[in-house]
Amino acid sequence: MRTVKALLMAVAILAGSLPVEALTLGNHWTLESPDKKTKVEVDTRGTYRMSWSISRGGTQVLMPSAINILLDGTDNVFTKGGWGKVAKREQVSTQFSTPFYKKAVVKDEYNGMTVSFKNGIAVEFRAYNDGAAYRFIINRPKATVVTSETAEFCFAGDYTAFVPYVNDNRGGERYCYSFESYYDEQRLSQMFADSLAITPLAVRLPGGLLAIVMDCGVEDYPGMFLKRGASKEEGVARNILQAEFANYPLEQQVGGFDRLNLVPTKRADYIARLDGKRTLPWRAVVVSERDADILDCDMAQRLAPPCRVKDTSWIRPGKVAWDWWNNTNVSGVDFKSGMNTDTYLYYIDFAAKNRLEYIIIDEGWSGKESLMEQLNPEIDLKRLIAYGKEKGVGIILWSSWRNLIGNNPTGDIALTDAVMKHYAEMGIKGFKVDFFDRDDQQAIASAYRIADAAARHHLALDLHGLKPTGIQRAYPNIFNFEGVKGLENSKWEPRVGDGPLHNQPRYDVTAPYLRMLAGPMDYTPGAMTNAMRNNFFGNNDNPMSQGTRVHQMAMYTTFEAPLQMLADSPTKYMQNQECTDFIAQIPTTFDETVALDGRLGEYTVVARRKGTTWFVAAMTDWTARELTIDLSFLGSGQHEADIFADGVNAQKEASDYKHTRRSVTAGDKLKVHLGSGGGWTAIIR
């Protein structure tokens, strides 16, 4: 405690000792990162505008890019506020604990600068060694309407981008979407002019740099979409990404997929209502000189609200046996499988035998319009809860967002609180809340209210149809978010020509750099039926995965998810017990992460430590690879490595693997072969 207090005091003293107008030239200011390589330039010398630009080691990351906000319809901060002045500069070097993350402690080191204006608006900038960010600060005591916000990201050239387009709107509504996107790899000028993309979005720069645009710390404000921009001065595309935000919903109706959504039918001419003094979300650009470093980037954690749950001792991450992906297909039993008590008793037995903390009972246990009425009579929840408690296995229940909030995202929390209180008292351990499929101000505010209610009742959450933007640090009882093209997509994946339409293995080694940068993702790995391109086909009732068995096993170390699914049938896991035993040993939170190697869209190699044990994994796209894994992260002495690698026949029979054990030391460099769509994974003690 004394060490932490001393550190915070040192930070405060250092920040207070900096000259307020240091490095200032007129209405142009410069801010550098601690390592002096990231440079942020802020300019208000233009006509009614503010801009920022970023460079890294001499390479231009962002050209001057517009920043603006329009309040109450007419109040443009840069026309009525007067030209700004630097109100504060600071150098910060601190850290905070993160017990439900890929590391136990996150370092937060940056140089900061706040530019203030006479009308009660300020803009805070931060320069990190791995990127930069800014946010608006509203210092007005009165209620305010945000009519619009301008956030541009202007690049110097027509660079290649990884673009996750919005493409499956709910009810045809522009901003109603599940946040699940494959990545179109195209030049900025080739982006579809009227299409929205979600964040994070990556742009590959000269000199091997990678720039990733994202929003962080989103609370009571809409999330940020991106689109291809055009210069107002020239009227032509200029390699610009422009932000777009969902307007505030005024009317909505039940609809969308299987009537599970609340779809806005009328939106206001503004994006948000603010109740007074507050900060707005961060607009951030992560900059990496080495792709692999993205796998260990903490930008989303640093820019998120601090933890608001005072007592986190009850929060229990872990693994979960899941019913939906495998369609409750169990065999060798004397009962008819399905949404019934006997099936879930079987799942509980499987979870207990394999030391899994939870099972999920997915859609079908409750009524279509209520979580308290017309429950499935084939499922005896009280019996299952009691049996799970006896076996040490908790139960998580599925819910739609609209059912949990009573179809009213702006209403009070009474219904949500009553539902959570009821099931928490019964012994339920959490809810998987599905079909948000929105991130306008109403939906984001609702997610925070749900998270707070769940924390008060000691319930865990798994949120679907919503991407993480910081709430997971504020409420660490939120374990997962979907917003990912996970394993479920294999159930309906079509074949085109000689293979599946989508290149899932390539996506599997793209998402860790982009989607996972924002926070944990509920990919739901663990398929025990595996296929190569030539023999894969979508099958809803007996699904399979693209790529090898070990590709799936490597996901348990590679993919961040404090609540990690075992998506396949308990029967199949028991038929492949050697693989299941290995998967069951992998934790879902870690003390340390080391990004070893990788390239966006091609392969990943990562090591994570829990206690004194290391978990290492490598994954590749459809390209077979020979890699070298440097074990210098290990401690001194001899270590025992338990290794799963692609089998010699994995290219014909994707489930083929080789299981070996060997002694290793920190001086070893392992030569590793990954087959097409393959993987490699080890536990090192």
Side-chain angles (χ1 to χ4, degrees):
M1 183 63 71
R2 291 180 181 175
T3 302
V4 173
K5 287 182 178 177
L7 176 61
L8 293 176
M9 185 175 294
V11 170
I13 292 171
L14 182 57
S17 67
L18 290 172
V20 167
E21 292 293 344
L23 298 177
T24 302
L25 178 62
N27 295 111
H28 177 269
W29 303 279
T30 299
L31 181 66
E32 291 183 334
S33 59
D35 69 357
K36 307 296 185 184
K37 294 178 68 176
T38 302
K39 183 178 180 181
V40 176
E41 296 186 69
V42 180
D43 200 329
T44 59
R45 292 178 295 184
T47 304
Y48 306 143
R49 71 192 294 267
M50 174 184 252
S51 67
W52 74 323
S53 60
I54 306 171
S55 61
R56 176 71 182 169
T59 298
Q60 196 72 35
V61 177
L62 282 190
M63 300 292 286
S65 302
I67 298 172
N68 205 352
I69 193 166
L70 185 64
L71 303 178
D72 298 323
T74 58
D75 192 0
N76 185 320
V77 61
F78 304 123
T79 60
K80 294 188 176 182
W83 301 125
K85 67 176 182 179
V86 174
K88 181 177 70 172
R89 284 184 179 269
E90 59 183 350
Q91 293 177 347
V92 174
S93 179
T94 186
Q95 61 185 32
F96 54 88
S97 63
T98 52
F100 309 107
Y101 187 50
K102 63 188 176 187
K103 58 185 66 171
V105 174
V106 167
K107 294 181 179 179
D108 195 12
E109 299 176 345
Y110 62 89
N111 290 335
M113 174 180 72
T114 300
V115 179
S116 65
F117 297 84
K118 293 179 181 178
N119 58 2
I121 307 298
V123 187
E124 179 183 358
F125 295 87
R126 291 183 184 178
Y128 289 92
N129 293 346
D130 58 356
Y134 75 86
R135 66 176 173 181
F136 283 101
I137 301 173
I138 310 297
N139 288 315
R140 295 178 170 186
K142 66 177 184 178
T144 303
V145 168
V146 181
T147 306
S148 64
E149 180 187 342
T150 299
E152 285 188 349
F153 306 88
C154 180
F155 295 91
D158 191 12
Y159 304 135
T160 298
F162 286 71
V163 185
Y165 284 112
V166 172
N167 53 29
D168 185 20
N169 303 80
R170 304 304 193 190
E173 210 275 337
R174 180 169 175 82
Y175 305 107
C176 201
Y177 179 58
S178 67
F179 304 94
E180 301 175 27
S181 302
Y182 290 109
Y183 295 94
D184 283 40
E185 299 168 41
Q186 56 190 179
R187 293 192 177 276
L188 289 165
S189 65
Q190 296 172 333
M191 287 179 62
F192 305 122
D194 195 40
S195 294
L196 294 177
I198 60 176
T199 62
L201 183 155
V203 179
R204 192 166 290 286
L205 306 177
L209 288 184
L210 193 65
I212 304 177
V213 179
M214 61 191 298
D215 53 342
C216 303
V218 181
E219 179 176 4
D220 194 28
Y221 198 84
M224 182 173 73
F225 293 94
L226 294 170
K227 62 183 179 181
R228 194 183 82 187
S231 165
K232 292 181 180 179
E233 292 81 6
E234 300 173 14
V236 295
R238 258 195 339 167
N239 309 315
I240 299 174
L241 296 172
Q242 285 184 331
E244 182 169 323
F245 303 91
N247 284 27
Y248 189 87
L250 297 176
E251 298 175 4
Q252 49 211 313
Q253 66 183 18
V254 176
F257 177 77
D258 199 25
R259 291 178 52 81
L260 288 167
N261 295 110
L262 272 179
V263 180
T265 56
K266 182 179 180 181
R267 292 187 182 269
D269 58 358
Y270 53 85
I271 64 174
R273 300 169 176 171
L274 308 181
D275 292 330
K277 295 183 178 181
R278 56 166 296 178
T279 58
L280 299 191
W282 292 96
R283 314 298 170 214
V285 180
V286 171
V287 184
S288 180
E289 299 172 1
R290 191 178 76 116
D291 285 16
D293 290 339
I294 298 296
L295 301 173
D296 192 29
C297 179
D298 300 314
M299 188 68 79
Q301 282 282 322
R302 300 182 204 126
L303 299 179
C307 180
R308 296 174 185 173
V309 182
K310 291 182 179 179
D311 175 20
T312 61
S313 61
W314 58 272
I315 299 176
R316 186 190 183 202
K319 289 186 286 296
V320 54
W322 186 34
D323 56 351
W324 183 86
W325 190 78
N326 57 76
N327 201 30
T328 62
N329 273 333
V330 300
S331 58
V333 297
D334 57 4
F335 59 86
K336 187 175 181 180
S337 67
M339 299 291 293
N340 59 54
T341 301
D342 285 338
T343 298
Y344 291 109
L345 290 172
Y346 180 88
Y347 276 73
I348 290 171
D349 282 337
F350 164 73
K353 178 182 176 183
N354 292 280
R355 302 177 304 285
L356 311 182
E357 288 80 0
Y358 301 100
I359 71 162
I360 280 184
I361 303 179
D362 214 285
E363 182 184 7
W365 69 272
S366 66
K368 291 287 288 185
E369 298 297 327
S370 173
L371 300 175
M372 305 284 277
E373 300 174 356
Q374 298 180 329
L375 305 186
N376 186 340
E378 299 297 317
I379 296 177
D380 186 341
L381 269 183
K382 290 184 178 179
R383 182 182 173 192
L384 291 171
I385 292 168
Y387 190 67
K389 184 177 181 181
E390 175 187 331
K391 295 285 189 176
V393 176
I395 296 175
I396 295 171
L397 298 176
W398 179 93
S399 164
S400 70
W401 172 53
R402 72 173 186 84
N403 276 357
L404 190 59
I405 62 172
N407 295 340
N408 185 5
T410 61
D412 64 36
I413 202 68
L415 174 62
T416 305
D417 193 74
V419 169
M420 290 186 168
K421 181 176 185 294
H422 172 76
Y423 286 107
E425 289 177 349
M426 282 184 65
I428 290 298
K429 300 302 181 183
F431 279 92
K432 172 184 172 181
V433 187
D434 209 346
F435 291 95
F436 274 84
D437 294 355
R438 288 165 47 185
D439 72 346
D440 50 45
Q441 186 183 24
Q442 283 185 4
I444 293 294
S446 175
Y448 272 82
R449 289 195 295 270
I450 289 169
D452 185 71
R456 283 188 281 106
H457 294 293
H458 288 190
L459 293 171
L461 292 174
D462 176 9
L463 305 183
H464 280 212
L466 195 69
K467 65 183 175 72
T469 51
I471 187 175
Q472 66 273 21
R473 182 181 167 201
Y475 292 97
N477 57 310
I478 302 178
F479 287 147
N480 288 2
F481 300 78
E482 196 181 32
V484 64
K485 283 290 187 183
L487 193 62
E488 69 171 1
N489 290 271
S490 67
K491 290 168 72 74
W492 49 76
E493 175 70 18
R495 285 186 67 84
V496 176
D498 62 351
L501 174 62
H502 295 102
N503 184 338
Q504 193 70 30
R506 185 167 180 83
Y507 179 83
D508 296 343
V509 292
T510 303
Y513 297 94
L514 299 182
R515 163 60 186 81
M516 201 167 75
L517 178 62
M521 57 185 197
D522 198 12
Y523 183 98
T524 67
M528 292 290 108
T529 301
N530 319 105
M532 291 289 103
R533 292 187 73 258
N534 65 324
N535 53 21
F536 172 89
F537 62 94
N539 187 322
N540 184 74
D541 294 335
N542 289 281
M544 64 188 71
S545 70
Q546 295 185 41
T548 70
R549 168 72 58 79
V550 184
H551 185 89
Q552 289 287 308
M553 295 174 67
M555 292 176 177
Y556 286 88
T557 293
T558 304
F559 293 165
E560 296 172 34
L563 183 71
Q564 187 61 279
M565 305 278 182
L566 273 72
D568 218 326
S569 160
T571 301
K572 289 187 178 179
Y573 285 121
M574 288 187 282
Q575 291 168 347
N576 295 274
Q577 193 64 48
E578 186 176 48
C579 298
T580 305
D581 288 343
F582 184 91
I583 291 169
Q585 297 177 67
I586 301 173
T588 61
T589 60
F590 298 88
D591 298 325
E592 181 182 357
T593 288
V594 179
L596 296 174
D597 195 5
R599 183 171 173 83
L600 171 63
E602 296 182 14
Y603 67 101
T604 61
V605 189
V606 67
R608 306 191 195 276
R609 179 181 59 82
K610 188 75 167 182
T612 59
T613 303
W614 283 92
F615 303 84
V616 189
M619 297 167 55
T620 184
D621 59 2
W622 284 124
T623 302
R625 300 182 191 277
E626 305 294 331
L627 301 176
T628 299
I629 298 181
D630 186 339
L631 299 183
S632 57
F633 56 84
L634 293 175
S636 60
Q638 292 282 332
H639 301 265
E640 183 74 16
D642 187 5
I643 300 169
F644 279 76
D646 293 328
V648 67
N649 292 308
Q651 302 312 294
K652 291 194 299 182
E653 172 49 67
S655 62
D656 186 37
Y657 64 86
K658 183 177 182 180
H659 183 195
T660 59
R661 290 180 174 86
R662 59 167 291 183
S663 293
V664 295
T665 70
D668 290 337
K669 292 178 173 58
L670 298 183
K671 300 294 184 181
V672 171
H673 171 76
L674 278 65
S676 174
W680 182 95
T681 186
I683 299 175
I684 306 177
R685 293 181 172 88

